[in-house]
C-alpha cells in the first residue's frame, strides 16, 4: 500500500507519527512530573498565567486543611494573614505578586488559617513558569511550614525575658541580703552570707530541673531542713500538699525558711537533742498560702528576744516586699511563726 503513496504523503504520515510520539512522550513526562510532586512531603501547587490553580498535591490538602475548589485563584489556603495578624487578600498574596510582576518572590512569611480555625506560619516560594519563548505560562509555589520554628523562637524570647527578669530579681535579693547581714567578725559574716546564698542557689537549681516551670515548696523546705532532721527523721515534721512556686515567692520562702532554721539551730528547738519542729502550709480563699512554723522542746523562752538581727529583720523585709505578713508568738516551749502570702 505504501507503494501507492507519493513522497509527500509519506512525509505527512511521518510528521503525524512524530507529533503523536511527541505528545505521548510529553504526556508521559507530565504524568511522571505530577507523580513526583505528589510524592513530595512539601505542599506544592501550580497555576496558569491568570492565577487559576491547575494542580496541587496531597501535601497541599494537608497543609490547607481542605481540598481547593476547581478553578480557585492564587492560593490553596482558606484565609491568609501577615505575620502581624493583618488580613492578606488572596489577590495580594506572594503567588499573585509573582504572577503579576513576573518574578520569583522570596524571604517573606505569612500565616494561613484553616477552616477549623487552626493557623500555620509558612514561607512561600512562588516562581513564574515560562515557555521556550520566555512568555509567562503559569507559576509553581511551594509552601514551607515554619510553625515549629516560630514557636521555638517565641519560647526563646520568653526564656530570654525570664532569664533577664530572674537575674534582676536575684541580684536585688542578693543586694538586700548583703546590706542586712550583720556579724561580729568577717568569718561570721562569710558563714552567714554563704548560707543565704546557698538557699538561693538551691531554688535556682530547682527551677532549672523543672525547665523553669516552678519550684516545689515541699522540696525547698525539705532541702533547707535536711541538715537538722536527725537519723530517725522524727525530729522535724513537714506537712502540706506540694505547690509549684514562681521565682520571687520561691526565693523569699527559701531565705525565710533558711533563717528560721538557722535561728532554731542556734537558739531554739533545733539547738537541743530533745527539740522538735513542725512546719506545715495550707491554702484557702483569704490567703492563698499560709506557712506555719512551730518549735517545741528547746530552751525555755521566758520573754521575746530584744535583739532584732538579720534573721528577723530580713525575713520581715522580704515577706513585706511580697505584700505578705509575718506573725510571731514567743511561747515558753518555743517560737511559733506564721508566714502569709497573698499570691502563691
Amino acid at each position: 500500500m505504501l507503494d501507492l503513496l507519493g513522497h509527500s504523503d509519506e512525509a505527512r504520515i511521518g510528521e503525524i507519527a512524530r507529533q503523536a510520539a511527541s505528545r505521548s512522550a510529553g504526556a508521559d513526562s507530565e504524568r511522571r512530573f505530577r507523580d513526583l510532586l505528589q510524592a513530595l512531603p512539601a505542599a506544592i501547587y501550580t497555576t496558569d498565567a491568570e492565577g487559576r490553580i491547575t494542580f496541587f498535591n496531597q501535601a497541599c490538602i494537608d497543609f490547607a486543611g481542605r481540598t481547593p475548589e476547581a478553578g480557585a485563584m492564587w492560593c490553596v489556603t482558606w484565609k491568609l494573614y501577615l505575620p502581624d495578624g493583618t488580613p492578606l487578600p488572596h489577590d495580594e498574596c506572594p503567588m499573585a505578586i509573582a504572577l503579576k510582576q513576573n518574578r520569583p518572590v522570596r524571604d517573606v512569611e505569612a500565616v494561613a488559617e484553616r477552616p477549623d480555625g487552626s493557623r500555620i506560619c509558612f514561607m512561600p516560594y512562588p516562581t513564574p513558569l515560562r515557555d521556550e519563548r520566555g512568555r509567562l505560562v503559569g507559576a509553581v509555589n511551594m509552601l514551607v511550614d515554619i510553625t515549629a520554628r516560630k514557636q521555638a523562637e517565641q519560647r526563646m524570647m520568653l526564656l530570654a525575658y525570664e532569664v533577664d527578669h530572674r537575674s534582676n530579681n536575684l541580684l536585688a535579693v542578693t543586694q538586700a541580703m548583703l546590706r542586712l547581714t550583720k556579724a561580729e567578725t568577717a568569718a561570721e559574716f562569710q558563714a552567714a552570707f554563704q548560707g543565704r546564698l546557698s538557699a538561693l542557689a538551691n531554688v535556682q537549681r530547682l527551677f532549672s530541673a523543672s525547665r523553669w516551670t516552678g519550684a516545689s515548696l515541699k522540696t525547698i523546705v525539705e532541702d533547707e531542713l535536711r541538715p537538722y532532721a536527725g537519723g530517725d527523721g522524727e525530729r522535724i515534721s513537714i506537712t502540706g500538699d506540694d505547690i509549684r512556686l514562681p521565682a520571687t515567692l520561691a526565693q523569699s520562702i527559701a531565705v525565710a525558711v533558711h533563717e528560721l532554721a538557722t535561728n532554731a539551730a542556734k537558739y531554739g528547738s533545733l539547738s537541743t537533742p530533745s527539740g522538735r519542729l513542725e512546719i506545715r502550709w495550707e491554702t484557702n480563699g483569704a490567703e492563698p498560702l499560709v506557712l506555719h512554723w512551730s518549735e517545741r522542746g528547746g530552751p525555755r523562752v521566758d520573754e521575746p528576744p530584744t535583739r532584732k538581727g538579720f534573721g528577723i529583720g530580713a525575713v520581715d523585709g522580704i515577706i513585706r516586699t511580697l505584700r505578705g505578713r509575718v506573725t510571731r508568738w514567743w511561747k515558753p516551749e518555743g517560737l511559733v511563726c506564721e508566714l502569709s502570702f497573698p499570691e502563691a
Side-chain angles (χ1 to χ4, degrees), residues 238-291:
I238 301 174
T239 307
D241 295 334
D242 203 2
I243 300 174
R244 288 280 178 180
L245 301 177
T248 302
L249 183 54
Q251 291 171 173
S252 299
I253 289 180
V255 173
V257 172
H258 173 79
E259 292 307 320
L260 288 170
T262 299
N263 288 340
K266 288 181 178 180
Y267 315 111
S269 62
L270 299 182
S271 66
T272 63
S274 61
R276 295 291 184 268
L277 170 64
E278 177 186 354
I279 182 170
R280 58 184 175 85
W281 55 88
E282 59 193 31
T283 59
N284 54 55
E287 298 285 354
L289 178 60
V290 180
L291 189 145

Side-chain angles (χ1 to χ4, degrees), residues 171-182 189 193 310 321:
L171 285 174
V173 173
T174 304
Q175 289 174 338
M177 291 195 311
L178 180 63
R179 183 177 65 254
L180 294 171
T181 298
K182 301 293 189 296
F189 177 90
F193 192 68
F310 178 83
T321 62

Side-chain angles (χ1 to χ4, degrees), residues 46-315:
T46 60
T47 71
D48 61 17
E50 302 301 319
R52 289 182 291 268
I53 295 174
T54 56
F55 169 82
F56 51 86
N57 62 2
Q58 181 61 43
C60 262
I61 298 175
D62 298 337
F63 179 94
R66 66 168 190 163
T67 300
E69 297 178 359
M73 295 291 291
W74 309 118
C75 192
V76 297
T77 56
W78 186 53
K79 291 183 180 179
L80 285 173
Y81 299 88
L82 295 174
D84 63 3
T86 302
L88 178 62
H90 280 86
D91 60 358
E92 298 178 12
C93 72
M95 183 59 135
I97 294 174
L99 286 167
K100 292 176 181 179
Q101 300 182 9
N102 196 7
R103 65 176 180 86
V105 176
R106 298 291 185 268
D107 300 322
V108 298
E109 296 179 3
V111 178
E113 182 176 319
R114 296 177 170 129
D116 64 4
S118 61
R119 292 190 175 189
I120 302 175
C121 299
F122 71 99
M123 291 187 71
Y125 292 86
T127 304
L129 299 175
R130 303 180 182 91
D131 62 15
E132 63 277 3
R133 296 182 182 181
R135 295 176 300 186
L136 180 68
V137 295
V140 60
N141 198 1
M142 179 173 68
L143 310 178
V144 179
D145 187 349
I146 60 171
T147 305
R149 192 194 79 188
K150 301 297 288 186
Q151 291 173 342
E153 290 175 355
Q154 183 67 20
R155 287 194 296 270
M156 288 297 296
M157 291 178 61
L158 292 174
L159 181 59
Y161 171 80
E162 181 67 18
V163 168
D164 180 65
H165 174 73
R166 200 178 304 280
S167 298
N168 290 333
N169 176 266
L170 187 59
L171 285 174
V173 173
T174 304
Q175 289 174 338
M177 291 195 311
L178 180 63
R179 183 177 65 254
L180 294 171
T181 298
K182 301 293 189 296
E184 299 295 332
T185 66
E188 291 178 356
F189 177 90
Q190 180 180 356
F193 192 68
Q194 184 173 349
R196 290 151 195 163
L197 281 180
S198 295
L200 292 180
N202 286 337
V203 172
Q204 302 309 308
R205 175 181 55 79
L206 294 176
F207 273 106
S208 178
S210 69
R211 294 184 179 272
W212 309 100
T213 60
S216 161
L217 172 58
K218 187 174 183 179
T219 303
I220 290 173
V221 174
E222 289 176 344
D223 285 353
E224 290 299 327
L225 297 179
R226 186 172 292 111
Y228 313 104
D232 57 7
E234 296 183 357
R235 191 181 191 193
I236 298 176
S237 172
I238 301 174
T239 307
D241 295 334
D242 203 2
I243 300 174
R244 288 280 178 180
L245 301 177
T248 302
L249 183 54
Q251 291 171 173
S252 299
I253 289 180
V255 173
V257 172
H258 173 79
E259 292 307 320
L260 288 170
T262 299
N263 288 340
K266 288 181 178 180
Y267 315 111
S269 62
L270 299 182
S271 66
T272 63
S274 61
R276 295 291 184 268
L277 170 64
E278 177 186 354
I279 182 170
R280 58 184 175 85
W281 55 88
E282 59 193 31
T283 59
N284 54 55
E287 298 285 354
L289 178 60
V290 180
L291 189 145
H292 303 271
W293 178 282
S294 179
E295 300 180 30
R296 58 184 175 83
R300 181 180 176 83
V301 180
D302 294 321
E303 59 183 19
T306 57
R307 180 176 178 270
K308 187 176 182 180
F310 178 83
I312 294 178
V315 172

